[in-house]
Amino acid sequence: MFTNSKLTKSVRLAMAVGTAAAISSSNVYAQEVASTAAEDAAVEKIQVTGSRIQRANMVSASPVTEISAADIKVSGITRVEDILNDMPAVFAGQTSGTANGATGTATIDLRNLGPERTLVLQNGRRLPSGSPSAGGISADVNQIPAALIERIEVLTGGSSATYGSDAVAGVVNFILKDDFEGFSFDYQHSFYQHDNDNSNIQDLVSGSGFPVASGSVDDGNANDFSFLFGANTDDGRGNVTMYGTFRDIQAVVQSSRDYSSCAINGSPDAMGCGGSSTTPFGRFTDFDTFNFQLSGEEFVPFTDLYNYGPLNYFQRPDERKTFGATSHYEINEHVEVYAELSYMDDRSVAQIAPSGNFFSTDRLYCGNPYLSDQQFAATCGAAGLTDEDYYEGFYIGRRNVEGGPRQDDLRHTSLRGVLGVRGIIDDNWSYDVFANYGTVSYLETYRNELSVDHMKKALDARVDPDSGDIVCASVLDGSDPSCVPWNIFSEGGVTDEALAYLIKPLYSRGDTKSTQVSGYVTGDLTDAGIVVPGTSTGVGLVAGLEYRKEQLILEPDFGFTSGDGAGQGGPTAGVRGDFSVKEIFGELNVPLLEGKEFAEELTLELAYRYSDYSTDKTTNTYKYAMNWGINDQARVRASFQRAVRAGNIRELFRPSSLGLFNMDIDPCGVGGDFTLAQCLNTGLTEAQYQTSALESPAGQYNSITGGNTEVSPEESDTFSFGVALSPEFLPGFTLNIDYFKIEVKDAISSIPETTILQLCGDTGNAAYCDLINRGPNGNLWVGTSSITATDLNIGYLETEGVDFDANYEMDLGEGGELRLGFIATLLDSLATQSIPGGDIDECAGYWDRTVCGQPTPEWRHNLKATWVSPWDVNVTATWRHMSEVNEYEGVGQEDGPGKIDAQNYLDLSANWQAHENVNLRVGVNNILDRDPPIIVNAPSGTGNGNTFPGFYDALGRYVFGGVTVTF
């Protein structure tokens, strides 16, 4: 009888195995594993990730990497996204280092093509969408308990013909332990330790008058518990495996590190502590004739920016619980019933600087009794207004430091169940039919946010003619008797009663649901005589049907949908939508040659899938692949795959709403590079050209984004060619080299707002200029001024490069063994064309705030050495390297000033099998405590704390220790 275990056996695409893991034998000795499988062919058939064909001696023509459970334990990493983000082909999506714009989820981004283009599976079946919130719809790998992973199989490049939509950049398949017998308990404690000794940054921060971190600090403590229990049935036909985990991670604030003690701006050669012009002392301005801040009870010229960085979380606190069970029972050789049930509850809090009046109010009552005579004279009086007038166009930037930092409390609760039946039809045919249902419930509470409506009322103060008290005008006219006036015109004037009135928590809830029903048969046609002449193995076949339905609901409260939250950057629109797809798919595995000179085996792989969406879209995906085993020492493989990605529910159905985008400066503002003629095209007047009113001190501007039901599915073509060598003259050595090229056509995205500005300025074309809505003084960051950038099919995305993987194992005799591994990616291209026929932005080797985003080094590698000692102790050292990247300034432009030097990290860990039932592990990652690179004007979102914490080691040394007890 065959088993349905999935064993990766391939000359795989060279990628990092994570952090400091010992080299697994299945990766080092692909040929030996294949030989072992051949010996067991009578009882075992193999299925590899990327194909559903099951047969003896199965070797994939698609490059696949495996990360083992041992790799994960030795690395000491308990967050699944961190395990994968250290791999050269993986880039940071949502991580624990995201503060502003956090979704509370953790996502995987293969090849930096976006998490939405990476398909995530658990035991070969889809995970549900991670969150209904913006940026969170990709699968949330928080659902995966790291301690229960048996292995992770990563296939880069399209695989839609096998698995359906979304497998554009590739597939990540988490295989959990499901046949365990006994009891296992695991505990790990970890923390970060850092020596604040960056004297240059410390001088910069202290010279700006801000507190600065110094000395040694340890924080970010994490405790991770897990148990695993399994039992076989008395008749040996079945097994039940149950697990539970609990993880508690504490917060790290940016004030704890010297390099994040202030928000750094300027240029790398002239850095300064910048920040926001929404300050505790207020900025009072009409963006024309006056620009003041508060001193005592007087207005003085505005000079001070607010240091918003220290209160931001560098690492979000997180508490996660998971429980689950897997089971299977063989009724007879033709019918085996199996089931999976998993539950996750994850709660994380994102913290950023206090809310405030972010120039949300645009007029002031000149008779406000809190205004001093000097303040009145400097503003209303200078404008010729009386105390009976309103000053229209009076803007206030005032930070609510009294109310504390904003906290976004994000909770996701997921439930997933699988029920299936599989078995043998006869000696040549088998089947598998399953239903897979997953749902995620989302609850968000946003605390310490100010209400725009209440601010407007609280700033409209009067003297009560009866009592002589200062009250709101809305109290006198009865429209809002609960209003409390907000005195921001004298230091210490804000009362607790005013805060209680101004602060209104925001609430949002939602759900995602995913239903998948799939069934297929797989067979070997050898006995039917469908065999290529000259071979002994017939054609392998898979044929199947699949139905999938995706549903999403996001229901923000009125505070969110109305845009009443002052620090939200605009309204948060609700979303409701669903779609379904019906599919038919098939695969062929055709042995062409066997046992020939220079062709020990030559196999052709074909796959096809037809998809019919309820949105009236249809797609065709397919694969051609060739696997040529020249002999035991050399193998060549090549493949072409057409993959697709249909628009997800948010891309299809979310309504248009106001949000924020990153831009260093308005190109028409002070220091901008647009000519007057270009700026007139964008909606400016000549008088507004290069005025300070256009500059957003936070580097964030308004945009209107939204979905589009008319977007077509995007298509991608993946080309892969690789060779694998394991020469006899060097036993224990293997070398894998794989070329890849992925082209995504009609990519579902939006035209970057900066590109819209550039195209409008250059051409005056109404198609772009009509998307720009400047405010009364020409700005793009106050009120409802904005650039519209809704989803559509843009030009294309493309990435190209070469992966390398070299491994060598040496026998040290009585000294044990030494295992060496070198894994790297050379990236030649990561290109984006925002509009068909338009300019091509090349991001390989670059980063920026708009088009390229996070760094994309041209070279990344991991070099590791593991000493397997004769005393049951393994010691592993890993050198992680990322090449330099430059700041991208645009097509044909010189490199920007923000160069990031090459980064190097050294990790060291040890694993001791102290007893047959007890395993101990300790380690330090980034053992040299390298500071992360300082990013001046780091983009909001992927950037945090003046660096990219999802990509670089941002918090210093990561120290861990753990124990596993098994009975």
Side-chain angles (χ1 to χ4, degrees):
M1 189 188 90
F2 77 92
T3 65
N4 197 38
S5 64
K6 295 182 179 179
L7 177 62
T8 298
K9 303 186 298 127
S10 60
V11 180
R12 64 192 201 284
L13 186 64
M15 296 169 61
V17 179
T19 50
I23 302 171
S24 70
S25 60
S26 60
N27 286 340
V28 178
Y29 298 111
Q31 299 298 327
E32 291 183 14
V33 175
S35 175
T36 302
E39 295 172 3
D40 298 336
V43 296
E44 183 177 33
K45 294 184 179 180
I46 304 300
Q47 178 177 314
V48 300
T49 294
S51 174
R52 286 193 169 100
I53 289 178
Q54 298 170 332
R55 64 192 312 168
N57 240 358
M58 183 70 181
V59 179
S60 173
S62 299
V64 179
T65 284
E66 176 181 302
I67 303 173
S68 71
D71 298 337
I72 297 169
K73 281 190 176 296
V74 172
S75 75
I77 297 176
T78 60
R79 286 187 293 244
V80 171
E81 70 274 22
D82 293 343
I83 297 168
L84 290 163
N85 284 343
D86 279 337
M87 302 171 69
V90 179
F91 292 77
Q94 280 280 332
T95 71
S96 61
T98 307
N100 197 351
T103 65
T105 63
T107 58
I108 303 170
D109 185 358
L110 283 174
R111 301 294 186 195
N112 209 10
L113 293 176
E116 67 275 13
R117 297 183 179 90
T118 299
L119 180 61
V120 181
L121 309 175
Q122 179 176 305
N123 295 332
R125 291 172 282 270
R126 286 174 175 261
L127 286 179
S129 297
S131 175
S133 64
I137 197 168
S138 301
D140 180 9
V141 296
N142 277 314
Q143 299 177 63
I144 308 292
L148 279 302
I149 296 173
E150 182 175 298
R151 64 187 182 276
I152 306 171
E153 297 174 349
V154 181
L155 183 153
T156 61
S159 193
S160 288
T162 302
Y163 297 112
S165 179
D166 304 338
V168 171
V171 175
V172 178
N173 188 10
F174 294 90
I175 312 297
L176 302 188
K177 299 171 184 176
D178 63 352
D179 204 11
F180 182 78
E181 186 174 15
F183 177 80
S184 177
F185 173 79
D186 185 272
Y187 168 71
Q188 178 171 298
H189 177 75
S190 61
F191 62 93
Y192 289 95
Q193 188 278 325
H194 175 68
D195 295 323
N196 287 300
D197 55 7
N198 191 323
S199 58
N200 291 332
I201 296 297
Q202 290 182 1
D203 290 344
L204 171 69
V205 177
S206 59
S208 300
F210 298 132
V212 61
S214 61
S216 177
V217 61
D218 58 86
D219 51 20
N221 292 264
N223 292 289
D224 194 279
F225 303 84
S226 68
F227 74 86
L228 184 64
F229 173 79
N232 293 326
T233 58
D234 291 339
D235 57 12
R237 292 184 174 184
N239 175 272
V240 176
T241 300
M242 298 180 291
Y243 68 85
T245 74
F246 175 76
R247 184 183 72 191
D248 179 42
I249 301 175
Q250 296 180 9
V252 177
V253 291
Q254 291 179 21
S255 61
S256 66
R257 302 295 188 271
D258 50 16
Y259 45 78
S260 57
S261 292
C262 77
I264 297 176
N265 66 1
S267 68
D269 296 328
M271 293 189 298
C273 281
S276 169
S277 66
T278 301
T279 74
F281 301 105
R283 180 185 179 188
F284 305 86
T285 181
D286 63 356
F287 296 113
D288 184 17
T289 60
F290 65 88
N291 192 23
F292 298 122
Q293 68 183 38
L294 183 66
S295 176
E297 294 184 354
E298 294 186 350
F299 283 158
V300 297
F302 178 78
T303 56
D304 299 325
L305 295 178
Y306 173 64
N307 182 18
Y308 56 79
L311 290 174
N312 288 14
Y313 280 155
F314 228 155
Q315 173 178 273
R316 298 194 316 273
D318 182 90
E319 184 176 294
R320 189 197 66 176
K321 299 180 285 289
T322 66
F323 303 96
T326 63
S327 64
H328 59 86
Y329 186 77
E330 180 188 329
I331 298 175
N332 54 52
E333 67 174 0
H334 302 296
V335 179
E336 182 182 31
V337 179
Y338 62 92
E340 299 176 16
L341 183 65
S342 60
Y343 168 86
M344 178 206 74
D345 182 75
D346 183 79
R347 186 175 182 182
S348 183
V349 177
Q351 178 171 292
I352 59 176
S355 185
N357 184 351
F358 296 96
F359 307 99
S360 304
T361 59
D362 58 5
R363 69 174 191 165
L364 179 71
Y365 177 59
C366 290
N368 188 312
Y370 290 126
L371 281 173
S372 68
D373 292 341
Q374 185 269 348
Q375 292 168 340
F376 175 86
T379 55
C380 295
L385 301 174
T386 71
D387 58 8
E388 297 295 325
D389 297 322
Y390 281 94
Y391 195 127
E392 304 291 344
F394 188 110
Y395 295 94
I396 299 174
R398 207 284 184 177
R399 185 73 59 165
N400 180 37
V401 291
E402 298 87 356
R406 286 166 285 175
Q407 291 191 327
D408 196 5
D409 191 334
L410 302 159
R411 186 170 187 172
H412 294 87
T413 304
S414 71
L415 183 65
R416 178 176 178 269
V418 174
L419 182 62
V421 58
R422 61 195 173 203
I424 294 174
I425 299 174
D426 56 29
D427 290 341
N428 298 309
W429 292 88
S430 61
Y431 70 93
D432 191 348
V433 179
F434 65 86
N436 172 24
Y437 175 79
T439 181
V440 176
S441 296
Y442 169 76
L443 182 63
E444 177 183 18
T445 303
Y446 204 100
R447 301 188 180 92
N448 296 336
E449 182 63 283
L450 296 187
S451 162
V452 174
D453 177 64
H454 284 195
M455 281 195 299
K456 290 179 178 179
K457 294 176 180 177
L459 286 171
D460 194 3
R462 300 285 196 279
V463 174
D464 186 332
D466 296 327
S467 67
D469 296 332
I470 299 177
V471 298
C472 303
S474 58
V475 171
L476 295 178
D477 64 23
S479 60
D480 186 357
S482 63
C483 179
V484 178
W486 190 26
N487 179 12
I488 57 174
F489 302 100
S490 61
E491 292 186 33
V494 178
T495 64
D496 291 340
E497 293 76 14
L499 290 177
Y501 173 72
L502 292 167
I503 295 175
K504 289 176 60 177
L506 307 176
Y507 301 97
S508 182
R509 67 169 304 278
D511 299 279
T512 70
K513 296 179 181 179
S514 177
T515 304
Q516 179 189 18
V517 180
S518 183
Y520 60 89
V521 294
T522 177
D524 189 322
L525 302 180
T526 304
D527 290 349
I530 303 179
V531 180
V532 174
T535 65
S536 60
T537 305
V539 173
L541 170 70
V542 162
L545 300 170
E546 184 166 314
Y547 169 82
R548 182 166 57 91
K549 184 173 183 179
E550 302 288 343
Q551 301 168 275
L552 183 148
I553 299 174
L554 179 66
E555 298 178 322
D557 71 353
F558 180 76
F560 270 125
T561 59
S562 65
D564 190 47
Q568 297 300 302
T572 298
V575 184
R576 180 184 294 267
D578 64 79
F579 69 83
S580 60
V581 57
K582 301 174 183 176
E583 300 177 299
I584 182 171
F585 59 90
E587 297 181 50
L588 291 176
N589 182 278
V590 185
L592 300 177
L593 294 173
E594 289 180 354
K596 306 297 183 182
E597 187 175 5
F598 300 112
E600 186 65 29
E601 65 172 323
L602 180 63
T603 304
L604 173 67
E605 293 184 17
L606 303 172
Y608 174 78
R609 178 180 291 250
Y610 173 79
S611 305
D612 184 3
Y613 288 86
S614 60
T615 54
D616 294 328
K617 311 291 184 183
T618 61
T619 61
N620 297 276
T621 61
Y622 43 86
K623 175 179 77 171
Y624 309 100
M626 191 72 72
N627 192 349
W628 176 22
I630 300 172
N631 51 41
D632 290 341
Q633 302 180 63
R635 180 177 296 274
V636 177
R637 64 182 65 204
S639 66
F640 169 81
Q641 301 198 52
R642 166 65 57 84
V644 299
R645 187 180 75 87
N648 60 47
I649 293 176
R650 290 192 61 88
E651 290 169 332
L652 293 173
F653 299 111
R654 79 184 190 281
S656 297
S657 62
L658 191 68
L660 298 173
F661 72 97
N662 294 312
M663 184 168 63
D664 289 336
I665 60 171
D666 188 321
C668 296
V670 177
D673 57 4
F674 271 23
T675 66
L676 175 60
Q678 287 177 301
C679 292
L680 293 178
N681 287 340
T682 71
L684 274 188
T685 65
E686 184 173 353
Q688 294 165 342
Y689 179 58
Q690 292 195 344
T691 58
S692 60
L694 307 185
E695 179 184 354
S696 168
Q700 292 182 308
Y701 297 79
N702 293 338
S703 68
I704 294 177
T705 60
N708 180 358
T709 57
E710 299 302 316
V711 294
S712 299
E714 60 187 34
E715 295 182 347
S716 76
D717 291 336
T718 298
F719 305 86
S720 176
F721 176 81
V723 296
L725 304 174
S726 52
E728 289 182 353
F729 65 83
L730 191 58
F733 175 77
T734 62
L735 173 65
N736 302 272
I737 303 175
D738 288 274
Y739 164 82
F740 64 88
K741 184 177 183 179
I742 304 174
E743 299 177 344
V744 184
K745 295 171 288 187
D746 296 326
I748 301 172
S749 186
S750 60
I751 302 175
E753 292 86 351
T754 53
T755 301
I756 292 172
L757 266 176
Q758 189 71 51
L759 290 170
C760 170
D762 291 345
T763 68
N765 189 330
Y768 305 114
C769 295
D770 288 350
L771 301 175
I772 301 171
N773 173 36
R774 290 189 177 273
N777 55 14
N779 73 79
L780 288 169
W781 61 285
V782 178
T784 58
S785 61
S786 60
I787 297 176
T788 299
T790 52
D791 290 341
L792 56 121
N793 292 105
I794 66 169
Y796 70 85
L797 306 173
E798 179 182 288
T799 186
E800 182 177 11
V802 180
D803 292 324
F804 302 88
D805 184 349
N807 298 298
Y808 184 48
E809 182 174 294
M810 292 182 291
D811 186 353
L812 302 179
E814 294 183 357
E817 295 179 350
L818 180 64
R819 296 174 178 176
L820 303 175
F822 177 76
I823 306 176
T825 295
L826 174 64
L827 185 66
D828 181 65
S829 176
L830 181 64
T832 301
Q833 185 186 58
S834 297
I835 59 172
D839 289 336
I840 297 173
D841 294 291
E842 177 55 68
C843 292
Y846 288 97
W847 74 275
D848 76 351
R849 292 170 56 84
T850 54
V851 178
C852 297
Q854 66 179 315
T856 309
E858 294 179 330
W859 178 261
R860 294 172 69 184
H861 78 241
N862 284 10
L863 174 62
K864 63 188 175 200
T866 299
W867 175 41
V868 182
S869 80
W871 306 288
D872 297 322
V873 175
N874 295 351
V875 180
T876 300
T878 300
W879 168 31
R880 294 179 283 128
H881 171 81
M882 290 160 277
S883 64
E884 68 178 33
V885 290
N886 292 298
E887 185 176 5
Y888 183 66
E889 290 286 275
V891 178
Q893 301 294 314
E894 297 290 333
D895 293 346
K899 178 183 176 181
I900 302 174
D901 292 333
Q903 300 295 305
N904 296 280
Y905 301 104
L906 177 63
D907 306 333
L908 186 65
S909 63
N911 186 295
W912 178 34
Q913 192 67 39
H915 184 271
E916 63 179 351
N917 302 116
V918 180
N919 181 274
L920 302 174
R921 61 189 182 275
V922 294
V924 182
N925 297 342
N926 187 14
I927 195 169
L928 299 180
D929 190 24
R930 278 191 60 95
D931 286 1
I934 302 302
I935 313 298
V936 177
N937 303 315
S940 176
T942 55
N944 190 25
N946 304 313
T947 191
F948 289 98
F951 192 77
Y952 298 112
D953 288 23
L955 299 179
R957 298 182 180 94
Y958 174 75
V959 183
F960 67 90
V963 58
T964 303
V965 180
T966 304
F967 300 99

